Amino acid sequence: MNAKQKVPVTILTGFLGSGKTTLLNRILSEEHGKRIAVIENEYGEVGIDQALVINADEEIFEMSNGCICCTVRGDLIRVLGNLMKRRDKFDYVLVETTGLADPGPVAQTFFMDDEIREEFMLDGIVTLVDSAHVEQQLGRSDESTEQIAFADVLVLNKTDLVEDDGLDNLEARLRDMNRMARVVRSEKADVPVDTVLNLSAFDLDQVLERRPTFLEPEYPFEWTGVYPLQAGRYELTLEEGPDPEMSLVVKAGQGGDDAALREGAEWCVRRYAEAADDVAPGASLEFERHVSLQLQAPGSKSFFLDVQEAVQVGLYAQHTAEEFDMKLIRVDDGAVVPAEAERVWVAQHEHDDEVGSFAIECEGDVDPERLNVWLSELLRIRGIDIFRMKGFLSVADDPNRFVFQGVHMLFDGQPDRPWGDMPRLNQLVFIGRNLDQDSITAGFKTCLI
Amino acid sequence: MPDLSNPGPIGSLRSGWSAEVGDYAIDSAWSANGEVLVVGDAAGGVYAFEGRSGAERWGHAEVHERGLLALEMHPDGALFATAGQDGCVRIWGAADGEVRNVLDLGKGWAEKLAWSTDGRLLAASLSRAVYVFDLDGQQIWRSEDQPSTVSALAWAGPGELAIACYGRVSFIDVTSNTLLQRLEWKGSLVSMVLSPDGSIVACGSQDNSVHFWRRESGEDSAMHGYPGKPSALAFDGTGTLLATNGGPHATVWSFHGEGPEGTRPGVLKLHVEPITTVSFARRGRRLASGGRDGVVAVWDLQMDGDGEVVGAAVVEEVIAGLAWRPDGRGLAALDGGGGVTVWRVGS
């Protein structure tokens, strides 16, 4: 373990006009009692006395081996190396990149250069997004895509210029590209300072705490309700909602506990893979068939379910019940049947973008030698396309959790705290371009003992 | 903890004196005959100590606002120049601490300095440009902007300046403003040293290699296999031995005979952490090395680059710089805690 406290560094990226300078000024003018050094590449925009502002031209240094993963920011090495010699050291460093910067070299600098690595620790990458213009930018430039993919925090700024629906769609799209990032919305870059500083962003614990579902598998359905039903006729009512049709599978014999729900979900995935039958309002629903409820008509719609003998059913629906104010009513007496259990799943999205992210979560102990061979080969072949990677490993015969992170083909890891009572698990997240989730997952599993 | 108090110098290093400056000691130099040692620090202060006793002769705190970056003694040993983050170069009298000239290069860091061998010209870099001044402080030349911040400067001969930056070393006759030679290598050249006759150029590269060229033929070679980046390079007075850092061992290449291509370098093992600085005494094949481990070692080397340690000492902080007294009978070490330690050196 390193006894010396390393100075945390936040990298601030974002296209011109996304609000970087506003955010920077906000951070610097707030009372946080920290001595902050700012290294900025666009001249003369920040003028705050409390912080040391250093202008440095962005100098991208490629190596003779031609590997883009070894490319570093020479100006940062020089400036940071000198900064750390002073007795009145800094508590924090902020690096603002130019709008068009590829975040790779900046991040790599903190892995590649031994002297920098000794003194500094990359705390996080914060990317500001101009909500009104990012969709155009994403189509046009690799840099904006990479700025999204590398981020630990995505600040959707200027939200006042975009409709709520548009923002939801934008957020969903950005999340597909980067499942690891925390997304915050703001109008004038007015986000709390602690959402961008001291992130310990590379600590996956925190990510899991914020969004416990992010390692979970995705399902083609978003919601399950479990209902205990007696024999009789039931009416499923839906009000107007966000979609003119909705997929549904009704499963008989559904338990309400977590294990039963997961088992049911896995079974249901196969039903969802079958083509759906269109079902018009007023029709009866068959059990264990993939159907598409036709909801184009205005107003309330009803479908019917006939139950021969008492059974507990699970409704696996493409949307949540709330979105359509969906209710199950006993026809005999008009009583609403309450759900005994409900579960919201991580819904699958269409992955339009080349850049995406996925997670591997599995039990088992890793053989460090096999892992090393597999990972070295993976990074050698796909390092350019793997933007970021982080996670925990359960290493055979080691009582401590192993924590790692990587940028392109650079990889850094060390033993973390003991597993103790925590269940031993491997959790890995990959973000990159055109990554083959199945083959990477299969490759990882060959490293298990 | 057992008592690990400093055991004192051993071998050819003998106790001398020690002193303190205001902050991390950046650079130092001896005046003629070792009369005073001048030292600059990270807070921009400049101090002079009596060569024999270590008593402070004069001192000025925070002269270069935000920090000093370089200090170079004039060849005659009476004047020296400093450069800093305030964008200024100052020319001082070593004996009295009087500033003779302040040269304001502009906004940015004034970072590298080099006096010409004949002592008539001073080159100084600010970001991507190099400026050359005469002894009156008159600017006689300015380079065009280089592709990146200038990483090293050296004079190759009368009026001929070598400028290193990302990807290349340029040799320019500053009196006629003519480009004489350009040596290219795709890599970040972080350090540069010329052999005393100017015929060999060696550069340390960010990719953990040392690249050198023989200027006459333009032949070049790359020495790989360093665990770290070779940021400190030094030639001995005859241009036969090239000492390099780049890890906990000092690596010494010999240009004797056919070498160094195809030969094994001398590998000097003593430090337990990366070496930060290497320096040859003015005469002979005596090398001093200092490291992050706070160790200073003195080595006597053979023609093939190998050698043995003849003296060593420990200070508590990272060694930031070493300066041999001109007669080779004294060695000064600067450290990251602002300490200055001078040893007498036996034969």
Side-chain angles (χ1 to χ4, degrees), chain A residues 325-339:
Chain A
D325 194 20
M326 185 163 69
K327 291 191 184 76
L328 193 61
I329 296 165
R330 195 157 58 217
V331 172
D332 285 354
D333 57 2
V336 174
V337 183

Side-chain angles (χ1 to χ4, degrees), chain A residues 4 43-44 52 54-55 57-66 72 77-79 82-88 112-115 118-119, chain B residues 21-24 26 42-43 66-67 69 85 107 109 111 128 147-149 166 185-188 206-207 227-229 231 273 292 337-338:
Chain A
K4 192 156 76 179
Y43 273 73
L52 178 69
I54 299 164
N55 288 296
D57 284 338
E58 211 157 70
E59 294 184 342
I60 312 278
F61 289 173
E62 293 168 23
M63 298 296 142
S64 51
N65 62 11
V72 294
I77 295 175
R78 197 165 47 87
V79 169
N82 275 304
L83 271 187
M84 283 320 290
K85 290 179 178 171
R86 294 193 58 131
R87 194 162 282 170
D88 49 347
M112 280 294 290
D113 190 276
D114 291 342
E115 287 158 31
E118 182 102 354
E119 307 271 2
Chain B
V21 292
D23 204 330
Y24 192 114
I26 298 283
R66 295 185 294 277
L69 296 167
Q85 292 184 26
K107 196 169 171 237
W109 290 9
E111 211 171 344
R128 296 167 187 237
S148 80
T149 299
Y166 172 73
W185 169 248
K186 188 179 176 187
S188 171
Q206 177 79 36
D207 62 7
K229 114 187 124 170
S231 55
E273 284 188 58
R292 294 192 72 93

Side-chain angles (χ1 to χ4, degrees), chain A residues 13 23 56 129 172 178 194 219 253-254 261 265 303 343 349 365 426 430:
Chain A
T13 72
L23 179 60
V129 172
N178 182 344
D194 60 12
Y219 291 108
Q254 175 65 55
L261 278 164
F303 301 86
R343 174 76 192 245
H349 295 99
D365 285 346
N426 301 290
F430 292 84

Side-chain angles (χ1 to χ4, degrees), chain A residues 83-102:
Chain A
L83 271 187
M84 283 320 290
K85 290 179 178 171
R86 294 193 58 131
R87 194 162 282 170
D88 49 347
K89 295 196 192 317
F90 296 91
D91 309 314
Y92 214 97
V93 175
L94 272 168
V95 180
E96 181 191 6
T97 69
T98 55
L100 280 169
D102 167 2

Side-chain angles (χ1 to χ4, degrees), chain A residues 77-350:
Chain A
I77 295 175
R78 197 165 47 87
V79 169
L80 291 173
N82 275 304
L83 271 187
M84 283 320 290
K85 290 179 178 171
R86 294 193 58 131
R87 194 162 282 170
D88 49 347
K89 295 196 192 317
F90 296 91
D91 309 314
Y92 214 97
V93 175
L94 272 168
V95 180
E96 181 191 6
T97 69
T98 55
L100 280 169
D102 167 2
V106 195
Q108 284 154 207
T109 302
F110 296 91
F111 291 80
M112 280 294 290
D113 190 276
D114 291 342
E115 287 158 31
I116 298 300
R117 192 166 157 162
E118 182 102 354
E119 307 271 2
F120 297 91
M121 177 195 72
L122 182 55
D123 180 58
I125 301 175
V126 176
T127 297
L128 267 98
V129 172
D130 175 349
S131 303
H133 295 105
V134 67
E135 301 247 26
Q136 300 163 356
Q137 289 159 354
L138 283 173
R140 271 207 302 263
S141 87
D142 284 349
E143 287 85 359
S144 58
T145 307
E146 291 183 10
Q147 289 179 0
I148 304 285
F150 271 90
D152 295 287
V153 176
L154 287 166
V155 179
L156 301 192
N157 195 27
K158 305 192 176 176
T159 51
D160 47 329
L161 305 179
V162 183
E163 300 288 323
D164 283 353
D165 280 0
L167 277 176
D168 291 342
N169 289 338
L170 175 61
E171 183 169 336
R173 180 173 180 193
L174 300 184
R175 274 210 188 289
D176 274 346
M177 295 167 66
N178 182 344
R179 299 173 67 166
M180 191 169 78
R182 174 180 190 174
V183 179
V184 287
R185 297 183 179 187
S186 69
E187 289 188 5
K188 296 190 171 66
D190 46 351
V191 296
V193 169
D194 60 12
T195 57
V196 290
L197 296 191
N198 275 326
L199 299 176
S200 303
F202 287 99
D203 187 348
L204 204 58
D205 280 336
Q206 291 212 355
V207 181
L208 288 168
E209 216 167 277
R210 286 197 301 268
R211 286 194 295 119
T213 61
F214 105 117
L215 283 172
E216 285 193 0
E218 293 180 344
Y219 291 108
F221 38 84
E222 210 172 330
W223 179 85
T224 300
V226 180
Y227 299 87
L229 303 180
Q230 303 301 319
R233 190 169 171 83
Y234 293 85
E235 179 184 3
L236 184 69
T237 63
L238 294 95
E239 303 306 318
E240 288 180 24
D243 209 340
E245 52 185 17
M246 180 177 85
S247 275
L248 180 79
V249 170
V250 182
K251 181 179 182 297
Q254 175 65 55
D257 59 59
D258 192 61
L261 278 164
R262 280 182 181 279
E263 198 183 317
E266 291 300 325
W267 172 85
C268 208
V269 167
R270 293 194 289 276
R271 297 287 84 73
Y272 261 81
E274 297 161 1
D277 298 332
D278 288 354
V279 177
S284 287
L285 298 171
E286 281 184 60
F287 280 90
E288 308 194 344
R289 281 194 74 96
H290 183 200
V291 297
S292 174
L293 307 182
Q294 299 300 301
L295 307 171
Q296 297 88 343
S300 184
K301 272 89 47 185
S302 291
F303 301 86
F304 293 93
L305 191 63
D306 292 303
V307 176
Q308 307 303 332
E309 56 190 72
V311 66
Q312 188 149 287
V313 302
L315 303 185
Y316 286 84
Q318 188 190 349
H319 296 288
T320 63
E322 199 183 7
E323 286 175 89
F324 288 90
D325 194 20
M326 185 163 69
K327 291 191 184 76
L328 193 61
I329 296 165
R330 195 157 58 217
V331 172
D332 285 354
D333 57 2
V336 174
V337 183
E340 186 192 275
E342 280 187 85
R343 174 76 192 245
V344 175
W345 308 98
V346 178
Q348 255 164 18
H349 295 99
E350 292 287 316

